[in-house]
Amino acid sequence: MQRITYYAMVDDLSTREEPAGVLRRIEDADGENDEVFTRGLVWKRSSSLYAAERGNLDNKFIEISAEEAERIVARIRASVTGTTDS
């Protein structure tokens, strides 16, 4: 069974309401994999959450719902493409 946990990435210039980005951790029988949604509009492997768990405090990771994550992804898409999703 697969479990996905989403996180808002918050730095000194962003807030939970307007985070710098979104990260998801996918856990399954093979282990866990972290991915960040990029300005290239794709999910890409990331070590940022692992770094935070080991003491790198450049970003805060706040657990959020899948719905919140989708809103962040939509905002990133709109900012990159100049359009809004309906």
Side-chain angles (χ1 to χ4, degrees):
M1 183 168 155
Q2 188 180 66
R3 177 180 148 180
I4 302 175
T5 307
Y6 294 93
Y7 298 89
M9 297 173 60
V10 179
D11 60 18
D12 291 340
L13 303 175
S14 64
T15 64
R16 180 191 170 133
E17 293 74 29
E18 292 288 328
V22 64
L23 182 137
R24 67 184 179 190
R25 174 166 280 175
I26 303 169
E27 298 173 85
D28 59 24
D30 294 327
E32 61 187 27
N33 182 37
D34 292 345
E35 299 174 329
V36 66
F37 191 75
T38 69
R39 293 191 63 77
L41 307 180
V42 296
W43 289 96
K44 184 177 178 185
R45 190 175 188 99
S46 173
S47 61
S48 297
L49 185 54
Y50 290 118
E53 291 171 340
R54 289 174 176 74
N56 179 336
L57 303 178
D58 290 343
N59 295 299
K60 291 180 189 172
F61 292 88
I62 302 167
E63 189 171 334
I64 58 173
S65 69
E67 292 79 18
E68 287 177 284
E70 188 52 43
R71 282 193 295 273
I72 296 166
V73 166
R75 181 177 50 82
I76 293 168
R77 278 193 184 111
S79 71
V80 170
T81 64
T83 61
T84 58
D85 293 338
S86 303

